[in-house]
Amino acid sequence: MSMLQVGTKAPDFTLPDQSGKPVSLGDFLGEKVVVLYFYPKDNTRGCTTEACTFRDSYESFTEAGAEVIGVSSDSVATHEQFAGKHGLPFVLLADTDKAVRKQYGATSLGVVPGRVTFVIDREGVIRHAFSSQMNIGGHIEDALKVVKQLQ
């Protein structure tokens, strides 16, 4: 499946967060813009850099009316450890069977899962999609720009 495009309705889903609590995309709709980012794996260099950059910009996102949500196929326990170790203030969701990743088309060629960020407006429509394994900073910068435009 190819990556969901801008203008597409974002599929709703429910996944457990790092404390095991179920979180749905629909929980935020109508109230917040959602920055949904898919990343390959907890505790790897690139993913730690990305998570910490989102952490360091988190206040800017929340001030602009957005919630940041990270998704990988790691377990609830791994997410809990990763979030605790790096002081991550946002939700990490455990998509252990990769069903949500597939729904969003956040995959890449080869064995490594894609690094893809979506900005979803309050009505649940994708307003921005960015896919890059290497340009980690671009995920955060571009998402914040779009969130501020949607304020």
Side-chain angles (χ1 to χ4, degrees):
M1 176 174 173
S2 62
M3 191 169 92
L4 291 181
Q5 299 301 306
V6 170
T8 306
K9 187 94 169 142
D12 196 11
F13 58 82
T14 303
L15 291 170
D17 71 5
Q18 64 263 46
S19 62
K21 186 181 105 183
V23 174
S24 299
L25 177 62
D27 297 344
F28 302 95
L29 299 184
E31 295 179 28
K32 294 183 181 236
V33 171
V34 173
V35 177
L36 183 66
Y37 84 97
F38 291 88
Y39 64 100
K41 193 158 182 45
D42 289 343
N43 298 305
T44 57
R45 198 175 85 226
C47 297
T48 300
T49 299
E50 183 176 29
C52 291
T53 307
F54 269 118
R55 175 199 65 204
D56 296 346
S57 304
Y58 184 68
E59 200 173 306
S60 301
F61 281 104
T62 58
E63 284 171 359
E67 188 52 59
V68 175
I69 300 173
V71 181
S72 82
S73 59
D74 291 300
S75 69
V76 167
T78 304
H79 280 338
E80 184 180 35
Q81 182 274 334
F82 184 59
K85 181 178 176 183
H86 298 289
L88 304 180
F90 49 85
V91 169
L92 295 179
L93 299 179
D95 183 23
T96 53
D97 63 1
K98 300 182 179 91
V100 175
R101 176 181 289 283
K102 284 186 192 108
Q103 244 184 332
Y104 278 76
T107 54
S108 68
L109 302 169
V111 280
V112 179
R115 185 182 307 282
V116 181
T117 301
F118 295 96
V119 177
I120 302 164
D121 71 15
R122 287 171 181 83
E123 286 72 54
V125 176
I126 296 171
R127 295 295 173 199
H128 176 73
F130 184 82
S131 176
S132 173
Q133 288 295 98
M134 304 318 285
N135 182 5
I136 291 167
H139 286 268
I140 292 90
E141 292 160 24
D142 287 9
L144 191 53
K145 259 185 241 159
V146 174
V147 164
K148 287 179 173 175
Q149 290 166 1
L150 292 172
Q151 238 176 328

